[in-house]
Amino acid sequence: MDSIEHRTIHANGITMHVAIKGSENAPVILFLHGFPESWYSWRYQILALSSLGYRSVAPDLRGYGDTDAPAEITSYTCFHLVGDLIGLLDVVAPNEDKVFVVAHDWGAIIAWYMCLFRPDRVKALVNTSVLFIPRNPERKFVETLRALYGDDYYMCRFQEPGVIEAEYAERGTERVLKELLTHRVAGPLFLPKGKGLNGAPLDAPIVLPSWLSEEDFKYYTNKFEQKGFTGGLNYYRNLDSSYFHAAIVLIDRDKGLVSVCQLAFEMGTNWELTAPWTGAQVTVPVKFIIGDEDLTYNSLGGKDYIDSGGFKRDVPFLQELVVMEGVGHFLNQEKADEINKHIYDFFQKF
């Protein structure tokens, strides 16, 4: 790990931390992490792929780790996130028109967006855990989630600013991360208020899995203690439009309180912004990997989307689809050696 270079890059108006390993002349692999993670999630892949002739580039995404976390929720749209990556590549890989991309969880969502918005910058993609989600012009995504699973579904619970942060603060960073990183239920994820994931008792003992050492867990905990969860949660808050309320209090020092003005405004977010890409296909070569115990495979119609041919229709250059048996959500850490081989074997074709 000491051989990994850590750099600070200025891109798209923010300062980004990026971990890099490999020759400057080697083809670049851009690794994109998910929630609640960081560049560190790719530690095994960074070392393995750089030893096999690639240049591994793994940033802390906007809002995470040692990368800036803008305060405004509106600073976390899909355009901001893809813009960060294009700006980053212009600095670390100025001579490469196209790069390889590997992504997981929210990183996978960003990778799908990147392929839609800038396919000219992606040579090939290995995406994991989160399937492509075609835009539904008739109904917003979070509205659909509420109709399917109710208000306790985790993405719905993440929507109102400050609410889940307050609950997490009361619970403690270590407990929150243990719950999220060890969760392994092949189905929808719920966050009932005052309870653990899927209603588990808040004091239920949690044992770290074999793929996550105490040292690894400490790294994640320290970073989220410093940064907090708001940046990562703001990704979810940009899925649909959100309504925000504010009060402006006008005070006259001599007369006291004069008036209170109530304001409400709607924030345009990913559903509105991606309207031009309704019906668009992902037109780069793709290999997709998912665990059969991943919540994403076992909810939101994931299996049916694959089996019915919808995934292949929307991602027509899907060349390989791998469903790993007995594997959960954090597959790049749980089965690092197998994922390393899947990445290497696919990219060797190009």
Side-chain angles (χ1 to χ4, degrees):
M1 295 292 288
D2 292 341
S3 63
I4 297 174
E5 176 190 4
H6 294 271
R7 292 177 59 185
T8 298
I9 301 296
H10 298 286
N12 196 27
I14 65 171
T15 298
M16 300 185 72
H17 162 255
V18 58
I20 301 175
K21 185 170 175 58
S23 169
E24 289 192 3
N25 298 320
V28 167
I29 301 177
L30 177 65
F31 292 96
L32 307 178
H33 69 79
F35 175 87
E37 301 175 274
S38 73
W39 74 270
Y40 192 78
S41 308
W42 298 109
R43 57 197 178 280
Y44 302 118
Q45 287 72 41
I46 291 170
L47 297 174
L49 275 298
S50 62
S51 72
L52 293 169
Y54 292 92
R55 189 175 190 218
S56 300
V57 175
D60 282 333
L61 297 175
R62 175 180 291 238
Y64 288 90
D66 295 318
T67 289
D68 285 350
E72 302 82 5
I73 295 175
T74 51
S75 294
Y76 293 82
T77 71
C78 53
F79 289 158
H80 289 87
L81 302 176
V82 174
D84 294 345
L85 302 180
I86 299 302
L88 173 68
L89 291 175
D90 287 344
V91 175
V92 301
N95 299 318
E96 290 206 42
D97 294 333
K98 295 187 176 186
V99 300
F100 295 112
V101 179
V102 178
H104 172 255
D105 190 77
W106 252 105
I109 296 173
I110 299 167
W112 294 127
Y113 280 134
M114 187 175 180
C115 291
L116 287 178
F117 303 160
R118 294 301 305 271
D120 58 307
R121 300 301 298 268
V122 182
K123 191 178 300 183
L125 168 66
V126 172
N127 232 0
T128 69
S129 292
V130 178
L131 292 154
F132 179 70
I133 305 171
R135 183 181 185 274
N136 182 349
E138 303 299 326
R139 191 171 188 173
K140 297 176 183 179
F141 186 61
V142 177
E143 288 181 2
T144 301
L145 296 178
R146 288 190 194 279
L148 283 173
Y149 299 126
D151 291 338
D152 281 346
Y153 187 66
Y154 79 103
M155 292 193 202
C156 301
R157 289 274 280 121
F158 286 170
Q159 292 304 305
E160 189 172 347
V163 172
I164 201 70
E165 286 96 329
E167 293 181 27
Y168 280 177
E170 184 177 349
R171 197 170 304 177
T173 301
E174 182 175 325
R175 178 72 190 191
V176 170
L177 286 174
K178 274 190 176 180
E179 288 183 351
L180 291 170
L181 293 173
T182 63
H183 180 72
R184 198 184 184 97
V185 174
L189 174 61
F190 298 96
L191 289 177
K193 189 171 182 179
K195 297 181 181 179
L197 299 186
N198 286 2
L202 289 176
D203 58 353
I206 300 176
V207 178
L208 294 178
S210 59
W211 53 264
L212 186 64
S213 70
E214 289 289 349
E215 182 181 359
D216 296 332
F217 182 70
K218 185 177 180 180
Y219 182 89
Y220 287 125
T221 302
N222 287 342
K223 289 303 178 182
F224 279 96
E225 287 278 9
Q226 296 168 19
K227 185 72 76 175
F229 291 94
T230 298
L233 293 169
N234 283 342
Y235 289 42
Y236 295 93
R237 291 166 184 156
N238 277 276
L239 289 169
D240 285 0
S241 288
S242 300
Y243 289 91
F244 292 88
H245 299 271
I248 298 178
V249 181
L250 304 177
I251 299 176
D252 184 295
R253 291 188 177 182
D254 296 324
K255 299 179 181 179
L257 179 63
V258 175
S259 62
V260 178
C261 300
Q262 294 289 337
L263 302 178
F265 60 93
E266 182 179 15
M267 179 182 73
T269 49
N270 293 350
W271 187 81
E272 289 85 5
L273 295 174
T274 56
W277 286 271
T278 300
Q281 295 176 312
V282 174
T283 56
V284 303
V286 173
K287 179 175 188 173
F288 185 76
I289 311 171
I290 195 168
D292 68 352
E293 296 183 8
D294 194 330
L295 63 96
T296 61
Y297 184 62
N298 295 281
S299 60
L300 296 175
K303 288 181 184 177
D304 291 341
Y305 181 49
I306 293 171
D307 295 342
S308 68
F311 187 37
K312 178 65 174 178
R313 176 198 65 223
D314 296 328
V315 186
F317 297 114
L318 177 68
Q319 297 189 10
E320 297 181 45
L321 172 62
V322 180
V323 179
M324 301 180 73
E325 293 185 8
V327 178
H329 183 65
F330 299 98
L331 72 180
N332 55 312
Q333 298 176 79
E334 182 181 346
K335 296 292 181 181
D337 290 343
E338 292 178 42
I339 295 298
N340 296 343
K341 188 176 188 306
H342 278 302
I343 295 169
Y344 179 75
D345 288 348
F346 186 59
F347 287 163
Q348 280 293 291
K349 298 179 179 181
F350 303 93

